Amino acid sequence: MNILVNTTNLSAGGGLQVADSFCSTLNRYEQHNFVVVLSSYLHSTKEKIKHYSNVEVFEYDIKNNIQTIVFGRDRFLDSLVRDKKTDAVVTIFGPSRWNPKNVFHLSGFAMSQLVLKESPFFSIIPLKEKLKWKFGNFVRKYLFARSTKVFFSENQLISDRVEQLFKNSKCYTITNYYNQVFEEIEASSNKLNLAFNLLKRRSDEIVLLNISTPYLFKNLPIAIDIAKELKNKHKDLNFRFVFTCKESDFPPIEKELKDCFCFLGKVAFEECPNLYKQCDIVFHPTLLECFSAVYPEAMKMQKPIVTTDLPFAHSLCGDAALYYSPLSAQDAAEKIYTLSQSVELQKDLIQKGERQLEKYDTYIQRSEKIIKVLESYV
């Protein structure tokens, strides 16, 4: 089978990690030929896979124009389907904007805003933002419906909702996992160690790590109010939040709280293992997710998790996380303090995380399941 792997619409977030991980396994399927079209944000993936004998790699970013948005056409991608005699297209995460013509199309689904309308996120954003999201969701739903009847999602809860949203569709559950770089921790880059050394970390300091793109629904600025709570109620706790975004992505932080934050800016996923190694707690305040690789990454790195008490988080973490009321900085602060003071609780969550990790598809199982879906339809 000739398979085109489409990642041309990916520019940030966990989709890049999934695309890299999936593409890195394609040499296992020598019975198939792959044309892999990577966005420019996946240049490092191109270097990894360009020598695979059954893979041909192109680098291309899909354009937002009348051709793609209105008609679903892209001259470059259409020509690849035709010239490479493509049998099937898999878009790692849609909507792709491009509508593959006369071939089977499997699309990953990670647009939680379309199926988790009950999220508290929608109650905290202003009316103008709500209208923008409503219009954006209308467009996304249209683009999905136009191009895809068969989906995969990373969470059974989401798969069920997708089949309700798109009538006569099928959505397979194929979970995410940690990237292969976590299997090669010692070989990964050490350059971020310097950032932590510059913190002049004291032996009693608790480092709370968040690895996220600063989307609104990640609710990262709640950390400011959490820091205030911890400072006021637990003066004995020496703590620091570490974020992989810029300080300018946050509201202004009061001078007396500045020392409680470190902003590293965007980091490559190859550098993430070192960050996890140097933290004590993984803090994930997200309000809206299909899946977050932060969870299996933290479990793999044996770090306890504090996250939001929401159905998607429970479906992914089970009893391997400490949950707080999603919009309550007070509750989050208490959970963080409780966890920081109890070595036994930390060990318990880490052990439960190791067991929970076994419930996810590994990156090899994920690619096998995607290939099997393609084979079953073509």
Side-chain angles (χ1 to χ4, degrees):
M1 183 163 45
N2 296 324
I3 301 168
L4 189 149
V5 180
N6 173 32
T7 76
T8 59
N9 58 327
L10 299 179
S11 60
L16 293 174
Q17 179 268 130
V18 175
D20 174 84
S21 182
F22 174 69
C23 292
S24 297
T25 66
L26 296 182
N27 59 336
R28 300 175 63 88
Y29 308 101
E30 294 182 349
Q31 71 273 32
H32 300 303
N33 297 311
F34 297 92
V35 172
V36 178
V37 192
L38 299 171
S39 78
S40 58
Y41 296 88
L42 285 161
H43 183 75
S44 61
T45 306
K46 180 181 178 181
E47 295 305 306
K48 274 194 240 179
I49 69 172
K50 65 183 182 182
H51 302 299
Y52 291 178
S53 61
N54 62 334
V55 170
E56 189 175 2
V57 189
F58 296 87
E59 199 168 297
Y60 179 71
D61 295 304
I62 196 166
K63 311 298 187 296
N64 279 324
N65 54 34
I66 291 176
Q67 285 289 93
T68 56
I69 299 297
V70 178
F71 301 108
R73 304 271 45 87
D74 183 277
R75 187 177 300 174
F76 176 70
L77 294 174
D78 285 340
S79 68
L80 283 181
V81 168
R82 182 183 63 250
D83 297 343
K84 303 299 180 181
K85 296 180 172 53
T86 301
D87 299 302
V89 172
V90 54
T91 295
I92 297 301
F93 289 112
S96 67
R97 302 192 286 276
W98 169 57
N99 185 10
K101 224 176 180 182
N102 302 322
V103 293
F104 173 72
H105 184 208
L106 173 66
S107 178
F109 184 94
M111 291 288 173
S112 52
Q113 62 267 40
L114 290 178
V115 294
L116 296 179
K117 300 292 181 64
E118 71 275 19
S119 169
F121 169 69
F122 296 109
S123 69
I124 63 172
I125 56 176
L127 179 60
K128 184 178 178 181
E129 284 294 325
K130 284 181 183 177
L131 293 174
K132 282 170 62 178
W133 278 79
K134 191 169 184 178
F135 175 73
N137 287 345
F138 173 81
V139 174
R140 293 179 189 102
K141 183 179 177 182
Y142 163 74
L143 294 175
F144 269 126
R146 181 182 70 183
S147 69
T148 314
K149 290 293 183 188
V150 183
F151 301 86
F152 69 89
S153 91
E154 301 169 317
N155 185 331
Q156 187 59 50
L157 171 70
I158 301 300
S159 295
D160 294 340
R161 298 284 183 93
V162 169
E163 291 183 355
Q164 294 169 15
L165 181 66
F166 300 105
K167 303 304 179 187
N168 302 316
S169 68
K170 175 66 178 174
C171 188
Y172 295 87
T173 301
I174 304 173
T175 74
N176 198 346
Y177 201 52
Y178 56 79
N179 189 277
Q180 288 94 317
V181 296
F182 286 85
E183 301 284 5
E184 303 168 355
I185 295 167
E186 298 306 320
S188 61
S189 166
N190 286 312
K191 79 175 190 178
L192 288 180
N193 286 343
L194 178 61
F196 276 85
N197 290 338
L198 290 175
L199 293 178
K200 298 178 181 176
R201 175 177 173 171
R202 291 179 294 200
S203 60
D204 64 340
E205 184 174 65
I206 300 296
V207 172
L208 298 121
L209 174 67
N210 176 274
I211 297 181
S212 293
T213 303
Y215 298 126
L216 278 177
F217 60 83
K218 298 291 186 180
N219 201 30
L220 303 184
I222 194 176
I224 299 174
D225 290 331
I226 295 172
K228 289 178 186 176
E229 289 288 324
L230 290 171
K231 280 280 190 182
N232 290 334
K233 296 182 179 176
H234 303 290
K235 299 183 187 300
D236 59 317
L237 184 66
N238 186 17
F239 66 93
R240 193 177 304 247
F241 286 96
V242 176
F243 291 96
T244 56
C245 60
K246 297 176 291 188
E247 186 172 352
S248 58
D249 294 316
F250 270 51
I253 299 174
E254 297 170 17
K255 186 177 180 181
E256 57 269 27
L257 294 176
K258 289 272 189 180
D259 287 345
C260 300
F261 290 88
C262 173
F263 296 93
L264 296 176
K266 187 176 181 179
V267 301
F269 47 77
E270 292 90 349
E271 298 167 325
C272 292
N274 282 314
L275 285 177
Y276 283 104
K277 280 171 66 177
Q278 298 172 82
C279 81
D280 301 294
I281 295 170
V282 172
F283 168 66
H284 204 41
T286 183
L287 301 175
L288 197 59
E289 298 281 357
C290 289
F291 192 97
S292 176
V294 167
Y295 296 137
E297 288 169 0
M299 294 169 191
K300 165 66 177 173
M301 297 301 294
Q302 299 185 321
K303 302 297 177 179
I305 300 165
V306 175
T307 192
T308 44
D309 189 2
L310 290 168
F312 69 80
H314 279 277
S315 68
L316 296 172
C317 295
D319 58 0
L322 202 57
Y323 300 98
Y324 69 89
S325 181
L327 301 180
S328 174
Q330 294 87 351
D331 190 30
E334 288 308 308
K335 295 296 168 52
I336 288 170
Y337 183 75
T338 298
L339 183 58
S340 69
Q341 300 304 298
S342 174
V343 174
E344 287 305 310
L345 180 56
Q346 293 171 31
K347 288 180 178 178
D348 181 56
L349 290 176
I350 289 169
Q351 289 171 357
K352 289 174 178 175
E354 291 174 336
R355 292 195 292 270
Q356 182 70 16
L357 198 56
E358 296 174 1
K359 297 180 181 180
Y360 297 128
D361 293 317
T362 67
Y363 46 82
I364 293 173
Q365 290 170 330
R366 172 177 57 201
S367 60
E368 286 176 349
K369 287 186 175 183
I370 290 174
I371 297 299
K372 283 180 179 177
V373 172
L374 296 174
E375 290 173 341
S376 70
Y377 281 88
V378 178

